[in-house]
Amino acid sequence: MLNEWLHNLAAWYLSALESGGYLLVMLLMAMESSVIPLPSEVVIPPAAYLAHTRGTMTLPGIVIAGTIGSWLGATVMYWAARIVGRPLVMRYGRYLLLSPEKIAGAELWANRFGLPGVFISRLLLVIRHLIGIPAGIVRMDFLRYSAATVAGSAIWCAILAWLGVTAGSDPALMAGSVHRIALWLGGFLGVVGALYYFFVHRHIRAPRAGQRGP
């Protein structure tokens, strides 16, 4: 039953990609970089697989579309935070699934790493779609923010495109094997989870522990 559901879902998305093309990839990645919980990990790999096997799109085109979409979503987050300011973001962010704790964590990350942190954040879970908020609040230079966002997003989209092509060469995975899907998903989440813990979680937790003090 689960195999059939996964197969039907994959078939539907691939069909939507064939008709929507680069514009759909761009739109979905723009959503992913805003407040909508749509993981890029389910957007780019299937599109890359489609491009590799059917030739309706190209891998560079998918990376470019994904990068532009990420920049658009990140730009919306930046300007929204810059215009409304921190008090309103902290007060009403929860209605957009942005808890004060998440926003505070993003601020700690941004304060610690600055512009390089914007670049690194595009490669990491959780912080990726939040970094535009502190960047907008502190009025980080928009052109530099955009450059870091584009660079990081391009690398991330390229990694996901490679993953899509590599996964597409696994016959068992393409046949909808739940066991093989679990292995791929578990391995991927393990890697990105470790990266998030070592590069983000520890850094946004340490200052809070220090603030509690004796």
Side-chain angles (χ1 to χ4, degrees):
M1 187 67 178
L2 181 57
N3 277 1
E4 182 180 356
W5 182 81
L6 290 172
H7 178 76
N8 291 337
L9 179 62
W12 172 83
Y13 182 46
L14 291 176
S15 176
L17 281 170
E18 285 192 321
S19 58
Y22 298 123
L23 184 60
L24 178 59
V25 173
M26 188 185 305
L27 175 62
L28 293 177
M29 289 301 290
M31 295 167 61
E32 186 269 345
S33 290
S34 60
V35 296
I36 301 175
L38 178 65
S40 57
E41 294 83 357
V42 302
V43 176
I44 298 296
Y49 168 76
L50 183 67
H52 182 67
T53 57
R54 304 185 189 180
T56 53
M57 294 183 286
T58 66
L59 291 176
I62 289 171
V63 172
I64 292 172
T67 301
I68 294 174
S70 295
W71 174 79
L72 289 173
T75 295
V76 170
M77 295 291 283
Y78 171 92
W79 284 108
R82 180 164 177 166
I83 291 171
V84 304
R86 188 180 190 277
L88 290 180
V89 171
M90 294 294 287
R91 183 172 182 179
Y92 297 107
R94 61 173 59 90
Y95 297 109
L96 298 175
L97 305 180
L98 299 174
S99 67
E101 292 76 17
K102 285 185 177 180
I103 297 171
E107 288 180 323
L108 288 171
W109 169 266
N111 289 333
R112 182 182 291 266
F113 296 105
L115 191 62
V118 175
F119 168 78
I120 298 173
S121 71
R122 306 310 301 178
L123 309 174
L124 300 173
L125 290 172
V126 182
I127 199 73
R128 181 164 60 241
H129 73 286
L130 295 175
I131 195 64
I133 296 175
I137 290 174
V138 302
R139 296 177 176 268
M140 182 180 292
D141 182 82
F142 178 67
L143 291 180
R144 293 184 178 182
Y145 167 79
S146 293
T149 296
V150 168
S153 297
I155 293 174
W156 180 241
C157 288
I159 292 173
L160 291 180
W162 171 83
L163 182 65
V165 173
T166 304
S169 64
D170 187 329
L173 181 66
M174 292 300 99
S177 168
V178 174
H179 175 69
R180 191 56 60 92
I181 291 173
L183 287 177
W184 273 91
L185 187 60
F188 179 76
L189 291 178
V191 171
V192 296
L195 290 174
Y196 171 75
Y197 175 78
F198 285 106
F199 289 98
V200 179
H201 183 76
R202 294 191 307 167
H203 295 291
I204 66 178
R205 295 285 297 180
R208 294 178 187 175
Q211 288 170 0
R212 283 195 292 267

